[in-house]
Amino acid sequence: MKLASRLSRIKPSATLAMTVKAKSLASQGIPIIDFGVGEPDFDTPDLIKESGIEAIRSGFTKYTPPGGMEALKSAILQKIYEEKNLSYEKNEVIVSCGAKHSLYNIAQALFEKEDEVIIPAPYWVSYPDQIMINEGTAVIVPTREENGFILEAAELEKAITSKTKAVILNTPSNPTGAAYSKKNLEEVAEIVLKHKILVIFDEIYEKIVYDGYKHFNIVSLCPELKSLTLSVSGVSKAYSMTGWRIGYTVGPKEIIKAMEMIQGQSTSNPTSISQKASITALESGDPFTEKMVVEFDRRRKFIVERLNKIKGVSCFLPKGAFYAFPNISSYFGKMGPAGIIKDSIDLSTYLLETAHVAVVAGEPFGDDRYIRLSYATGIDRIKMGLDQIEGALQKLK
């Protein structure tokens, strides 16, 4: 049977692929330390779980409107107003089955042949594929570690052509943990306004930040961008609700309406039970988030300091999210049991098979010199995993 040609334009998720490999080894009785998974290791808070349980008990188990229930939209808009001083109407917000689904709906609604979308690299692995599956062109603009992995305004302007439709900004970033300052965003906003391109502003990690960093939404800094910006967030990272699958988008009502039409013909509404629980998360979940971030910060400092002590490894100190993104390229060209380590994929495979540690190669994130480690795991396991990584690297000749 011939499959649709669009499948040739996309690749499997690198993070999920590594998880599958790690679980396969674990099923054989091999203990694996997994730095690959991009989700908090904390349980969903009890008050949020109880809200979901109560929804089931009360029979709130039927369809809701395709774009999300009114009460959840109200909670989202209230949260955005309180935290970002931004006012949106209910026809300017859509609730979807996770932030990834939100981004996919955006790509479906906006992009087609000859549309170019600028993506700073390193980037979250799904951005280019979501654009390409909808026949758009991903224009990758490399950023530099010495500049904090930030897309500078001059680099953005250089990449803009007559075909440019949008730029994607992810702050704080997966995989680097980089985050845009107020000044960075103001400079980018000036270029966006000048060229009248859209901004897809992915702020799913907005509440997981460190060292006094203050997260800004680009529209808060430049209100003129409201008609050109789609802001995406959700409850998965901040409230440890990855499996509940609730994300949302706020933006121009005509684009939100188009996304709702697409959603109505694909998934229909997000799960009713998860929507109920998400209201509780948005209204009462921040004390949990604050405690979680304190623990992530402890792990962040430890993992970065420890990585920087490994010979031939250097690691950027992230400002947000829960990922370390060390440069391991000094080990390329060395010999392992399966042959020469040519790239980050070879090195990640070697670490899994030899050190029994799962990391994610940097190549699918747009920079082959790096690997990504999630520190959403206990500090004892982080220490053990890094010891095993160091030992495996020392064996390479």
Side-chain angles (χ1 to χ4, degrees):
M1 180 182 292
K2 184 179 183 297
L3 297 175
S5 61
R6 72 178 68 91
L7 286 172
S8 66
R9 294 192 286 270
I10 62 171
K11 297 172 288 189
S13 166
T15 49
L16 295 180
M18 181 54 73
T19 299
V20 169
K21 286 183 182 179
K23 286 183 176 178
S24 174
L25 288 175
S27 70
Q28 300 169 37
I30 300 170
I32 302 295
I33 295 177
D34 191 356
F35 289 120
V37 181
E39 63 179 351
D41 56 316
F42 300 86
D43 195 9
T44 303
D46 285 343
L47 81 166
I48 297 173
K49 290 194 286 187
E50 286 301 322
S51 185
I53 292 166
E54 176 55 30
I56 295 170
R57 286 182 176 147
S58 65
F60 193 75
T61 57
K62 308 297 183 184
Y63 294 131
T64 74
M69 52 190 283
E70 294 292 299
L72 178 52
K73 288 186 175 184
S74 294
I76 291 166
L77 297 181
Q78 182 64 28
K79 192 82 167 169
I80 290 171
Y81 178 74
E82 290 173 356
E83 295 182 352
K84 302 169 188 176
N85 196 31
L86 292 172
S87 295
Y88 289 89
E89 302 297 325
K90 286 184 181 175
N91 62 359
E92 295 175 306
V93 59
I94 178 173
V95 183
S96 301
C97 307
K100 178 183 276 191
H101 186 214
S102 302
L103 290 159
Y104 184 77
N105 282 343
I106 290 171
Q108 282 257 295
L110 290 176
F111 306 135
E112 54 193 354
K113 277 185 180 178
E114 299 192 3
D115 285 337
E116 293 180 352
V117 183
I118 296 169
I119 305 174
Y123 46 74
W124 180 54
V125 294
S126 293
Y127 293 146
D129 292 280
Q130 289 188 348
I131 292 160
M132 289 186 286
I133 201 171
N134 288 291
E135 300 190 311
T137 299
V139 176
I140 308 301
V141 179
T143 63
R144 295 179 293 280
E145 182 176 343
E146 55 268 30
N147 291 344
F149 291 115
I150 295 301
L151 176 64
E152 296 182 343
E155 294 169 328
L156 170 60
E157 186 157 41
K158 194 184 299 182
I160 294 172
T161 73
S162 60
K163 295 179 180 179
T164 303
K165 193 160 191 177
V167 58
I168 298 178
L169 297 178
N170 177 208
T171 179
S173 160
N174 175 5
T176 64
Y180 286 74
S181 70
K182 181 173 182 282
K183 182 173 182 289
N184 294 143
L185 288 175
E186 287 172 340
E187 290 171 350
V188 167
E190 186 178 336
I191 301 303
V192 169
L193 273 177
K194 176 181 173 182
H195 293 274
K196 296 291 188 292
I197 62 174
L198 295 168
V199 178
I200 299 167
F201 197 75
D202 182 353
E203 51 185 347
I204 189 67
Y205 294 96
E206 61 184 301
K207 289 186 173 292
I208 303 174
V209 295
Y210 313 107
D211 297 333
Y213 169 79
K214 182 170 175 54
H215 173 81
F216 289 96
N217 182 285
I218 197 167
V219 180
S220 298
L221 299 177
C222 182
E224 300 94 324
L225 274 184
K226 189 175 182 184
S227 64
L228 292 170
T229 302
L230 290 150
S231 297
V232 177
S233 194
V235 299
S236 61
K237 313 298 183 181
Y239 308 108
S240 198
M241 294 176 68
T242 51
W244 297 75
R245 307 313 302 136
I246 296 292
Y248 54 84
T249 308
V250 294
K253 62 183 178 183
E254 62 274 16
I255 301 177
I256 298 298
K257 182 179 179 181
M259 292 170 65
E260 189 166 332
M261 287 174 59
I262 291 164
Q263 191 159 296
Q265 296 294 356
S266 55
T267 62
S268 192
N269 62 278
T271 305
S272 59
I273 299 151
S274 296
Q275 290 188 67
K276 277 282 192 180
S278 296
I279 294 172
T280 302
L282 292 168
E283 292 179 345
S284 307
D286 282 356
F288 161 81
T289 307
E290 290 161 8
K291 290 179 183 177
M292 182 174 67
V293 170
V294 169
E295 175 58 20
F296 276 150
D297 189 25
R298 186 170 78 98
R299 299 174 187 178
R300 172 188 72 120
K301 290 170 180 172
F302 177 84
I303 196 171
V304 172
E305 182 179 356
R306 180 70 179 83
L307 283 165
N308 281 318
K309 287 180 179 177
I310 298 175
K311 184 180 178 181
V313 176
S314 63
C315 188
F316 170 81
L317 184 66
K319 293 182 179 179
F322 39 76
Y323 306 107
F325 200 58
N327 187 322
I328 41 73
S329 59
S330 68
Y331 286 92
F332 295 171
K334 293 185 180 290
M335 182 66 72
I340 293 174
I341 302 292
K342 300 184 296 297
D343 51 31
S344 62
I345 294 174
D346 284 350
L347 188 64
S348 298
T349 302
Y350 168 72
L351 291 176
L352 181 61
E353 294 175 349
T354 302
H356 300 153
V357 174
V359 302
V360 186
E363 189 274 336
F365 294 104
D367 200 322
D368 195 37
R369 298 170 296 169
Y370 297 80
I371 55 175
R372 191 195 76 173
L373 290 79
S374 167
Y375 47 89
T377 191
I379 203 155
D380 289 343
R381 289 184 65 77
I382 292 172
K383 182 181 185 305
M384 186 185 305
L386 293 179
D387 288 347
Q388 291 171 202
I389 287 173
E390 183 172 31
L393 291 176
Q394 288 175 347
K395 293 176 183 176
L396 293 172
K397 303 297 183 183

